[in-house]
Amino acid sequence: MHQPHRDEEYADEAHYGDSSTYVSPPTRTRRRMFIAAASLLAVLVGGVAVDRIAAARAESRTAEAFQDGMGTAERPSVHVSGFPVLSQLAAGSLDHVDLTAHDIPADGTTRPLR
């Protein structure tokens, strides 16, 4: 007769009907695939999180530089669009930046307003 492995458990007949059925735990291959999928998901989520942090940092530094350069009293609102921002930063230019500022001083020719 068949000898069950240590990993196999026989299900109780009261729960599953007339015949005995054994239930085995997940195989090592299934566990490895689960671990690989969870690891891949963690890397992807981590990459997106790092990209969003880089976007927030770029927005903050751009707003600060604009405020210092233009002499505005209020810090402007800056939004960097596009994904991934990290590759744009590595290339040295951002594809699309929305900047909203109020009360920009424009004193003659020394401070041209573009």
Side-chain angles (χ1 to χ4, degrees):
M1 271 200 136
H2 174 69
Q3 291 291 333
H5 295 284
R6 285 184 357 177
D7 292 344
E8 298 174 348
E9 297 176 1
Y10 279 93
D12 188 7
E13 285 183 25
H15 295 291
Y16 293 104
D18 297 328
S19 64
S20 293
T21 308
Y22 72 90
V23 179
S24 63
T27 62
R28 288 181 190 245
T29 305
R30 188 178 292 169
R31 276 189 224 139
R32 286 181 184 156
M33 288 190 53
F34 176 76
I35 290 170
S39 298
L40 179 63
L41 181 65
V43 167
L44 290 174
V45 168
V48 170
V50 168
D51 189 73
R52 295 294 88 203
I53 291 169
R57 180 83 170 126
E59 290 170 355
S60 175
R61 291 184 69 172
T62 302
E64 184 180 339
F66 185 86
Q67 184 180 20
D68 290 345
M70 295 303 288
T72 60
E74 280 187 45
R75 187 174 233 169
S77 170
V78 179
H79 178 71
V80 176
S81 299
F83 184 81
V85 172
L86 282 174
S87 62
Q88 295 176 44
L89 291 173
S93 66
L94 297 170
D95 293 338
H96 189 86
V97 178
D98 293 320
L99 190 138
T100 304
H102 300 283
D103 301 325
I104 301 171
D107 299 334
T109 59
T110 59
R111 281 197 131 139
L113 180 62
R114 297 189 246 175

Coordinates of all heavy atoms in Angstrom, one line a residue, residues 20 22 25 37 50 61-63 72 75 81 90 109 114:
S20 N -11.1 8.8 1.6 CA -10.0 9.5 2.2 C -9.3 10.2 1.1 O -9.0 9.7 0.1 CB -9.1 8.6 2.9 OG -9.7 8.1 4.1
Y22 N -5.9 12.9 0.5 CA -4.8 13.5 1.2 C -4.5 14.9 0.6 O -4.8 15.2 -0.6 CB -3.5 12.7 1.2 CG -2.8 12.6 -0.2 CD1 -1.9 13.5 -0.5 CD2 -3.2 11.6 -1.1 CE1 -1.2 13.5 -1.8 CE2 -2.5 11.5 -2.3 CZ -1.6 12.5 -2.6 OH -0.9 12.4 -3.9
P25 N 1.2 19.9 1.3 CA 1.5 21.3 1.3 C 2.1 21.7 0.0 O 2.5 20.9 -0.9 CB 2.5 21.4 2.4 CG 3.1 20.0 2.5 CD 2.0 19.1 2.1
A37 N 8.2 35.8 -7.3 CA 7.2 36.7 -7.7 C 7.1 37.9 -6.6 O 7.0 39.0 -7.0 CB 5.8 36.1 -7.8
V50 N 11.1 55.1 -5.3 CA 12.3 55.9 -5.5 C 12.1 56.9 -6.5 O 12.5 58.1 -6.4 CB 13.5 55.0 -5.8 CG1 14.7 55.8 -6.2 CG2 13.9 54.1 -4.6
R61 N 13.4 71.4 -5.3 CA 14.6 72.1 -5.7 C 14.3 73.2 -6.8 O 14.9 74.3 -6.8 CB 15.7 71.2 -6.1 CG 16.2 70.4 -4.9 CD 17.4 69.5 -5.3 NE 18.5 70.4 -5.5 CZ 19.7 69.9 -5.7 NH1 20.0 68.6 -5.7 NH2 20.7 70.8 -6.0
T62 N 13.5 72.8 -7.7 CA 13.1 73.7 -8.8 C 12.3 74.9 -8.2 O 12.6 76.1 -8.6 CB 12.2 73.0 -9.8 OG1 13.0 71.9 -10.4 CG2 11.8 74.0 -11.0
A63 N 11.4 74.7 -7.3 CA 10.7 75.8 -6.7 C 11.6 76.7 -5.9 O 11.5 77.9 -5.9 CB 9.6 75.2 -5.8
T72 N 10.7 86.0 -5.5 CA 9.3 86.0 -5.1 C 9.1 85.8 -3.6 O 10.0 85.2 -2.9 CB 8.5 84.9 -5.8 OG1 9.1 83.7 -5.5 CG2 8.6 85.1 -7.3
R75 N 6.7 80.8 -2.4 CA 7.4 79.7 -3.2 C 6.4 79.2 -4.2 O 5.2 79.0 -3.9 CB 7.7 78.5 -2.2 CG 8.5 77.4 -2.9 CD 8.9 76.4 -1.9 NE 10.3 76.2 -2.1 CZ 11.1 75.6 -1.2 NH1 10.6 75.0 -0.2 NH2 12.4 75.5 -1.5
S81 N 6.1 66.3 -14.6 CA 5.3 65.2 -15.2 C 6.3 64.3 -15.9 O 7.4 64.5 -16.2 CB 4.4 65.8 -16.3 OG 3.5 66.7 -15.7
A90 N 18.8 61.8 -14.9 CA 20.1 61.3 -15.4 C 20.5 62.0 -16.7 O 21.7 62.2 -16.9 CB 20.0 59.8 -15.5
T109 N 14.8 96.3 -17.3 CA 15.6 95.3 -18.2 C 16.5 94.4 -17.4 O 17.1 93.5 -17.9 CB 16.4 96.1 -19.2 OG1 17.3 97.0 -18.5 CG2 15.6 96.9 -20.1
R114 N 10.3 86.1 -18.6 CA 10.2 85.3 -19.8 C 8.9 84.4 -19.6 O 8.5 84.0 -18.6 CB 11.3 84.3 -19.9 CG 12.6 85.0 -20.2 CD 13.7 84.0 -20.5 NE 14.7 84.0 -19.4 CZ 15.7 83.2 -19.4 NH1 15.8 82.3 -20.2 NH2 16.6 83.3 -18.4

